[in-house]
Amino acid sequence: MLHPKKSAQLAAPRHFVKGLVALLGCTALTAPAFAQEAPAADEPAKEEIVVVGSLNALPIKDVGSIFGFDKNLVETPRSASSISKEQLERFGVSEIYDLVAQSPGTFTNSFFGVGGALDIRGTPGEVYFRGVRRLDNPGNYPTPIGASDRIDIVRGPASPIYGPSKTGGYMNFVPKSARVAKGKYMDSAAGQISYTGGSWSKSVLSAELRGPGKIGNQAFGYSLYAEVEDSGSYYRNMNTKQTILQASFDTDLTPNLRLEFGGMYQNYKGQQNGGWNRLTQDLVDNGTYITGSAKPLDTSGDGKISPDEFDAAGSFGVFGTFACANKGVFPGGWNDQCLKDNYPQLALTNVGTAKLDRRNTLTGPNDKLWNKSTTAYVDLIWDLGHDLEIKNQFFYDGYDNINENAYGFSQFHNSYVLENKIVISKKFTNDIGKFSIQVSPSVRYTDFLHGDDFDYEYFHRVDLTKGYDALSTRLLSTQSGKDYSSYVKGYYTDWGVAALTDLDFNFGLDVTLGARYDNIKGKSSSDPTRTRSANSAVGQDTKGVWSWSASANYRLPFGLVPYATIARQSVVIAGQGAELDPGNLQGGTWTTASKLYEGGIKGSFLNNRLYAAVSVYKQTRVDFNAQSITVNQAVETRGLEAEMRWSVDKHFLVTGAYTRTNVYNLTALNDGVLFSFFGIGDLKGVTDQSLHLGGQLFGLLPVANKDQSRRAGIPKDLFSATATYSFDNGLAFAGSISHVPSVFSGQSQVVRLPAYTLVDGSVSYAKGPWLFRVVVKNLTDAKYFRANFTELFGSTIALPERPRSWQASVVYKF
C-alpha cells in the first residue's frame, strides 16, 4: 500500500561536490559566461525583434526548451508559455503559486505548503534546468523562482529528445546566471544588488555580476548570482533560511569549439505545513474548530510518543470496521457504538469548540524541512560548419533532504542523478524549405537512498488551539534511527537514443517528427533492520520503452497558425525523491506511458505586439494500474487553454488566460474504490466526532462513476489576467487577478472550499541606477484555502492561505 508522501531523494557525493567547487574556482580565473540558447560569437544571429515596453512577454524569441529547435512559441506546435525575468520582477512573482496569473493550465494544490513543482493540467509536473530534467520535487524544497532569468511552462509530456517524462508537463528553469549578451562577450561588467523586506519579517538580499574577462589571450565571460534569505512566516512555528548560489562560464576553446559550464547550489531550511486538521465544512465556512486533548501515551516521560507506546495502548490507525458488528471497508460502516466498544483509546477528553486562528496550523515548534541541492552542467559545443553541430551535455543534480513533522511523519532522501547526452544537429536549406535533424544518444543514472516514516501519522491528535505537547508529539524515525515504514536503496540506469526532425516547407507547412527508445534497468532493496517489519524485499527489472511524437502546423494568412500534435511518452514510476518501490519492480509495474492528442491555433498580430493562442487536448495514462499516488497519478485529462498577450504601446501591456480542466484518476475509476484517510465529513454514521480524533480511521472510498473519480482541488474553470503601465518618468504600475471557483478538498467530496478572487498589485519607480518597488499580495484580503494531497488527505486537512501582505524592494544597478 503506497503512502501519501512516500518518497526518495537525491544528494551529491562529497567527492563530486568538492571536485565541482575546485573546477568552478579554477575556471573562474580562466573561463566564460554561458548563453543558454544564443549563437556563439562567430555565428550569424537571427535578426532580433524588439517590442519596446513588452517586458519580453511576447513569444517572438526562440525557445529551445520544447523540441530543441530554434523556434518561438508561435511556430511551436504545442501549448506552452514563457515568463520573462522582467515579468517576474514587475509582478513580484516569488513562488510557483504566483505563476497561475501568468500562464494557463498551472493551478497547483498544496503539497504540505511547499512550492516545489507546478501542477500542470491537473497533475504534478516536473522541473527542468536549462532543458534537462531534475530530480522529482513536489514538496522537498521550494523551487527558487526569484533566482530565475526565465521560466518556460510546457503543457503535456516532453518531446522524445528529452527522455521519459510525466503526463502533465514541466517547468523549465533558466537560471538568472544564464544572461550573457546573446552569445557575445560583454564589453564591460554589469550587475545589481537588491534587498527585499516585507510582511512577517521577510528579508532577502541578492546580488549578481556578469561580464567579460581574459586570462592571457583566452577570452571568457562569467555570470554570478547569490541570494540569502532569513524570513519569518505568517504561520506560527515557521520560518525560512536559505542560501542560493549560481555561477556560469563560457569560453571559445577554438574558433569552432565552445565550453559552457556552471551550476547552482541551494541550502534551504524551513518546514512543511499540513494546514488545519479536524477539517469540517463548519471550520472552513466559520472557523469553528473541535477542541479536545488526546489521551496520554508517553509512559517514558521523554515528551514524545514512540511506536511501541502507541502499540502498548491499542490500535490507533484502524483500517475498516472489522472489529465491529457492521464489518466493512467503507466510511459508512462507522458509528458511535462501534468506536466506544472497540476503540476507546481514540477518544478525546475535554471536548468543546473554539474559533481557530488561521495562523495555527499543523507545523510544530521543532519541525524541519532541510534540503541541500546541487546542480551542475558542462556543455561542449562543436560547430563543424555547413550547419552541423555536435553538443555533449553533462548534467548532475542531487539533494540531501530531511523532513520531520511532529504529528507523525518523517522521511529523508539522499540521492543524485548523472546524465550525459550527445546531440548531433544538422540543418539543410534549399528551394523547398528549411529542414533540421537531431540524433541524440544518452545515458542517465539515478541513485537513491530513502526512508519513510508514516505508519503512526495521526493529524488529529494535536489540538491546534493549544499546540503540541506530550499528548500529541511523536518520536520520529529520523530521530530514533529505527521504525521506518520503508527504507530502500537502489538505482536505475537509462540508456536511450532519440531522433527528431523538423520539416519547414516554404509553402507554409511545418512538420515535426520524433521517436525515442529507452532501455532502463532498475534495482531497489529494502533494509529490514531499519523498519518495524522483518521482511526484506529486492526488486530488479529491465524494461525497454518507446516514446514518439508527430506535430504539424500551417502558416495561414493574417498571422494565424493552426497546429495538431499526437504523442506517446514513457515514464518511470518513481516516488517523491526518485526512489523505486521494490514491489513495483518485482511486478514489472514501474514504467508506464501516456498519450496526448492536442490541437489549437496561434497567432502573432499588429507587428508582433499581440499574441493569442487557444488549444484543446486529451491526455491519458495508457496503463492505469501503475501509479505513484504522491507524484505520478494515473489520470485522464481533457481541457482547453487560451492565452492572450498584448503590448498596446510602449507603456501598456495586458495579458489574459482561461483554463478549463477535467482530470480523472483512472486507477480509482477502474478499481471502483480509492484508499484514503477518512475525514470527519466521511463518517456519516458518527454523531460524536471526538470519539476517533485521537487516532486515524482509513479504508476505501467508493468511486461509482467518472464524476467521483475527478481529482479534487483542481478548479474546472480558471480565469486570470495581468496589466502593467509604465510612464516615461520611471513610474510603473502592475496588477494581476485570478478567479478560482469553489472546489472539493478531497476525493470523497464532503468538504467544499470556497471560491475566491486573488488580486496582487505593485508600484515601482526607476531613477538612474536605482529601482524601488512595492508589491501587495492578496490586495483585497480574500479568505481562501488550498487543497492538500487530495487523494489521501483531502477531507482530513486543508491549508488556510495567507491574508494581505506586502514586500518592498530596493535595487541598485551598476
Side-chain angles (χ1 to χ4, degrees):
M1 182 182 301
L2 290 178
H3 177 271
K5 291 184 288 186
K6 185 175 181 186
S7 50
Q9 251 112 335
L10 320 169
R14 293 179 181 176
H15 66 276
F16 182 90
V17 175
K18 291 179 179 178
L20 172 65
V21 171
L23 179 63
L24 291 178
C26 294
T27 317
L29 303 176
T30 61
F34 106 125
Q36 157 97 9
E37 295 169 284
D42 59 345
E43 289 180 330
K46 281 189 175 183
E47 180 182 355
E48 183 180 9
I49 301 174
V50 178
V51 179
V52 178
S54 68
L55 297 183
N56 281 319
L58 298 172
I60 53 181
K61 295 184 178 181
D62 290 342
V63 177
S65 60
I66 301 177
F67 283 113
F69 296 116
D70 295 331
K71 291 181 174 295
N72 62 44
L73 291 180
V74 180
E75 302 165 334
T76 301
R78 284 291 300 275
S79 180
S81 303
S82 188
I83 297 96
S84 67
K85 169 190 174 183
E86 291 80 5
Q87 286 175 279
L88 297 173
E89 293 177 345
R90 178 71 61 87
F91 291 96
V93 175
S94 57
E95 56 185 5
I96 63 169
Y97 305 113
D98 297 331
L99 296 174
V100 172
Q102 304 289 337
S103 170
T106 58
F107 185 84
T108 299
N109 282 331
S110 171
F111 196 97
F112 292 85
V114 181
L118 285 169
D119 279 5
I120 304 176
R121 291 183 171 176
T123 187
E126 296 179 299
V127 179
Y128 283 55
F129 187 89
R130 298 177 68 252
V132 182
R133 180 165 49 91
R134 300 190 70 183
L135 297 170
D136 273 310
N137 177 27
N140 302 326
Y141 60 95
T143 294
I145 297 296
S148 58
D149 189 70
R150 190 186 79 235
I151 295 172
D152 305 323
I153 298 173
V154 181
R155 296 176 282 274
S159 165
I161 204 73
Y162 296 121
S165 68
K166 293 182 185 176
T167 303
Y170 61 94
M171 176 176 66
N172 181 50
F173 178 92
V174 179
K176 188 179 287 287
S177 56
R179 204 176 185 81
V180 186
K182 305 176 185 65
K184 297 181 179 179
Y185 302 133
M186 300 171 63
D187 294 329
S188 60
Q192 69 176 43
I193 300 174
S194 70
Y195 176 77
T196 299
S199 298
W200 313 306
S201 302
K202 185 178 183 65
S203 180
V204 182
L205 177 66
S206 66
E208 59 183 286
L209 178 66
R210 51 196 171 88
K214 182 177 285 189
I215 299 295
N217 294 323
Q218 184 67 45
F220 65 92
Y222 63 87
S223 183
L224 308 172
Y225 175 80
E227 178 181 310
V228 178
E229 179 175 5
D230 186 357
S231 299
S233 172
Y234 167 72
Y235 306 103
R236 291 188 172 93
N237 300 321
M238 295 193 70
N239 59 76
T240 297
K241 295 180 183 290
Q242 78 171 329
T243 300
I244 301 169
L245 303 174
Q246 291 180 6
S248 59
F249 305 90
D250 189 333
T251 191
D252 296 315
L253 299 177
T254 70
N256 64 350
L257 176 61
R258 189 166 78 254
L259 170 68
E260 301 175 357
F261 71 97
M264 180 171 73
Y265 169 79
Q266 181 180 5
N267 186 345
Y268 169 80
K269 291 185 177 181
Q271 302 81 25
Q272 285 195 341
N273 187 351
W276 276 354
N277 64 354
R278 304 183 184 180
L279 187 68
T280 64
Q281 193 66 55
D282 194 20
L283 177 61
V284 169
D285 294 342
N286 306 304
T288 304
Y289 184 72
I290 300 172
T291 62
S293 299
K295 294 180 179 178
L297 299 175
D298 177 26
T299 56
S300 68
D302 64 355
K304 298 178 181 179
I305 309 169
S306 70
D308 288 340
E309 288 170 330
F310 272 116
D311 290 348
S315 298
F316 287 83
V318 184
F319 180 85
T321 55
F322 298 106
C324 309
N326 186 16
K327 303 183 189 307
V329 295
F330 298 112
W334 287 101
N335 57 52
D336 293 19
Q337 197 61 48
C338 171
L339 290 165
K340 291 177 182 178
D341 292 344
N342 298 281
Y343 304 102
Q345 68 272 19
L346 303 185
L348 302 180
T349 61
N350 302 318
V351 179
T353 60
K355 293 296 182 182
L356 184 59
D357 190 329
R358 297 172 66 83
R359 302 172 72 174
N360 292 343
T361 58
L362 279 166
T363 305
N366 298 312
D367 284 4
K368 65 169 70 170
L369 176 64
W370 292 1
N371 190 93
K372 292 181 180 179
S373 62
T374 304
T375 306
Y377 65 90
V378 179
D379 293 354
L380 280 170
I381 303 101
W382 288 272
D383 180 1
L384 302 180
H386 306 287
D387 290 323
L388 176 62
E389 179 186 272
I390 301 176
K391 178 187 293 187
N392 188 90
Q393 296 177 282
F394 174 80
F395 177 77
Y396 168 86
D397 189 37
Y399 47 61
D400 188 354
N401 178 283
I402 185 169
N403 180 15
E404 296 182 347
N405 302 273
Y407 58 76
F409 177 83
S410 67
Q411 66 182 186
F412 78 91
H413 324 289
N414 187 354
S415 313
Y416 65 90
V417 63
L418 296 166
E419 180 172 345
N420 196 80
K421 178 167 65 175
I422 299 172
V423 182
I424 304 169
S425 305
K426 173 65 177 173
K427 299 178 182 178
F428 305 88
T429 303
N430 54 40
D431 294 339
I432 301 176
K434 299 177 181 179
F435 309 103
S436 302
I437 298 174
Q438 295 182 358
V439 177
S440 177
S442 65
V443 59
R444 182 179 174 97
Y445 173 81
T446 305
D447 189 280
F448 59 85
L449 174 63
H450 161 74
D452 251 336
D453 164 25
F454 55 76
D455 284 333
Y456 298 82
E457 183 175 22
Y458 307 129
F459 296 112
H460 299 314
R461 285 190 66 87
V462 58
D463 181 340
L464 294 183
T465 65
K466 298 178 179 179
Y468 287 92
D469 53 24
L471 304 176
S472 53
T473 303
R474 232 208 73 197
L475 176 65
L476 303 168
S477 294
T478 51
Q479 298 165 346
S480 67
K482 61 180 182 178
D483 295 326
Y484 283 94
S485 306
S486 66
Y487 193 102
V488 296
K489 64 178 179 180
Y491 68 90
Y492 42 109
T493 305
D494 179 356
W495 295 88
V497 61
L500 200 64
T501 183
D502 181 67
L503 311 174
D504 188 357
F505 297 96
N506 289 338
F507 63 85
L509 177 65
D510 189 348
V511 177
T512 305
L513 304 171
R516 179 183 185 90
Y517 178 76
D518 292 275
N519 184 271
I520 313 172
K521 179 181 180 180
K523 182 178 181 179
S524 180
S525 58
S526 61
D527 183 351
T529 66
R530 299 278 191 163
T531 65
R532 291 184 68 80
S533 170
N535 297 325
S536 63
V538 178
Q540 187 169 349
D541 193 22
T542 301
K543 289 276 191 178
V545 296
W546 285 93
S547 303
W548 52 265
S549 69
S551 304
N553 59 22
Y554 192 84
R555 296 184 294 276
L556 294 174
F558 310 109
L560 294 173
V561 184
Y563 76 90
T565 289
I566 179 172
R568 175 189 168 100
Q569 177 63 274
S570 297
V571 65
V572 174
I573 306 296
Q576 183 182 339
E579 82 279 6
L580 299 181
D581 182 84
N584 288 345
L585 283 161
Q586 290 172 352
T589 58
W590 59 289
T591 64
T592 185
S594 60
K595 204 165 188 179
L596 168 70
Y597 300 91
E598 180 178 305
I601 188 167
K602 303 180 180 183
S604 184
F605 316 100
L606 304 179
N607 293 321
N608 292 309
R609 288 189 172 274
L610 173 63
Y611 166 74
V614 62
S615 64
V616 293
Y617 68 90
K618 174 185 176 183
Q619 51 194 53
T620 308
R621 177 68 61 80
V622 299
D623 180 0
F624 43 78
N625 292 318
Q627 71 170 345
S628 166
I629 198 69
T630 28
V631 294
N632 199 333
Q633 297 91 357
V635 298
E636 174 188 295
T637 310
R638 300 170 183 257
L640 181 148
E641 295 152 349
E643 182 177 19
M644 179 274 294
R645 299 185 179 191
W646 184 18
S647 180
V648 181
D649 57 28
K650 68 177 183 177
H651 302 289
F652 190 28
L653 171 70
V654 294
T655 75
Y658 167 69
T659 302
R660 184 176 182 84
T661 307
N662 291 287
V663 55
Y664 307 96
N665 189 304
L666 295 178
T667 302
L669 183 62
N670 180 69
D671 293 346
V673 293
L674 182 70
F675 173 78
S676 177
F677 281 38
F678 292 155
I680 290 174
D682 296 318
L683 304 172
K684 306 296 185 184
V686 178
T687 61
D688 182 359
Q689 299 295 339
S690 69
L691 293 173
H692 64 87
L693 294 178
Q696 180 62 58
L697 307 180
F698 45 81
L700 303 180
L701 295 173
V703 181
N705 52 54
K706 200 164 189 177
D707 183 66
Q708 292 181 357
S709 75
R710 183 188 299 274
R711 189 162 191 249
I714 303 296
K716 186 174 182 180
D717 298 284
L718 179 63
F719 303 87
S720 63
T722 73
T724 178
Y725 192 93
S726 59
F727 295 89
D728 291 332
N729 63 0
L731 184 66
F733 294 89
S736 65
I737 184 171
S738 301
H739 177 71
V740 181
S742 175
V743 296
F744 287 112
S745 68
Q747 294 302 126
S748 58
Q749 302 180 1
V750 294
V751 176
R752 182 178 282 276
L753 306 180
Y756 62 93
T757 299
L758 192 63
V759 181
D760 296 343
S762 77
V763 58
S764 59
Y765 179 69
K767 183 69 173 179
W770 293 95
L771 172 68
F772 306 90
R773 175 173 290 116
V774 176
V775 178
V776 180
K777 295 191 175 184
N778 194 2
L779 190 62
T780 62
D781 203 22
K783 175 184 175 182
Y784 69 106
F785 295 80
R786 200 177 294 274
N788 190 91
F789 216 129
T790 59
E791 288 81 4
L792 281 162
F793 305 140
S795 35
T796 308
I797 55 176
L799 180 64
E801 279 290 353
R802 292 161 293 186
R804 182 190 299 117
S805 65
W806 65 273
Q807 61 188 49
S809 301
V810 179
V811 181
Y812 179 74
K813 300 182 179 182
F814 56 89

